[in-house]
Amino acid sequence: MSNDQTDSTKLHPRVLGLDVGSKTIGMAVSDPLGITAQGLETIRRKNKRTDFGRLNEVVRQYEIAEIVVGLPLRMSGAEGTQSEKMRQFAEDLRKASGLPVHLWDERLTSAEANRVLRDSEMSIKRRGEVVDRLAAVLILQNWMEARGSR
């Protein structure tokens, strides 16, 4: 029997999902098979250089091949000032990392994350600590599922 990987165990390049806020950056990474997204620690934002330095450490640690950033849209689908900020963040991250950076509609991810956490009976304090991570997981999971169905 050879050591060649079969199609079912073929490893995929890993993808980093980000839920970027003004104070924190929630992070998630795809599993080696490209099926699920797992949450990572949340970054407390300091400044662009520090934030991108930390993101580049994660990119190296997990051998990330591409990045997905949540794009905040209005419920109508229109873009606002937060969308513009995220487009600029994604462009700066593309330059800093040298990786493809995709924007993904995150409209309901924070609401869904809060609902899931509320239903889990987790304390309010603990929910606040993990909501960004869960939102990043949902952004990445939705992006992977949409890409997989193409």
Side-chain angles (χ1 to χ4, degrees):
M1 192 161 165
S2 75
N3 284 341
D4 292 347
Q5 295 172 329
T6 64
D7 282 344
S8 64
T9 61
K10 186 171 174 243
L11 297 181
H12 288 254
R14 295 181 90 170
V15 182
L16 179 65
L18 302 177
D19 177 49
V20 181
S22 58
K23 295 184 175 100
T24 59
I25 301 175
M27 298 189 297
V29 65
S30 61
D31 73 310
L33 298 177
I35 299 168
T36 62
Q38 285 111 22
L40 301 175
E41 81 279 5
T42 295
I43 295 174
R44 288 251 160 245
R45 297 193 68 180
K46 291 185 175 73
N47 58 53
K48 192 193 264 184
R49 192 167 36 136
T50 304
D51 298 347
F52 283 8
R54 182 67 192 105
L55 289 170
N56 276 325
E57 287 172 21
V58 171
V59 164
R60 280 192 300 279
Q61 180 182 352
Y62 290 93
E63 300 177 359
I64 300 297
E66 51 192 327
I67 302 170
V68 178
V69 175
L71 179 65
L73 298 173
R74 295 193 175 116
M75 289 314 286
S76 66
E79 293 196 17
T81 49
Q82 287 308 110
S83 303
E84 289 174 33
K85 287 180 184 173
M86 252 346 88
R87 286 190 181 284
Q88 187 59 56
F89 180 92
E91 185 54 37
D92 293 344
L93 183 57
R94 189 177 294 117
K95 290 174 185 164
S97 67
L99 295 174
V101 177
H102 312 282
L103 289 164
W104 184 253
D105 178 359
E106 67 167 35
R107 262 180 286 187
L108 296 171
T109 54
S110 291
E112 186 179 348
N114 276 307
R115 183 187 52 74
V116 167
L117 293 172
R118 226 182 6 261
D119 292 349
S120 74
E121 297 180 13
M122 186 181 288
S123 75
I124 290 172
K125 181 182 186 306
R126 183 78 182 109
R127 282 200 303 245
E129 294 167 2
V130 299
V131 68
D132 298 319
R133 178 187 318 171
L134 183 54
V137 166
L138 293 169
I139 288 165
L140 181 54
Q141 191 72 50
N142 291 340
W143 181 83
M144 289 191 310
E145 288 170 5
R147 188 169 76 161
S149 67
R150 280 188 211 148

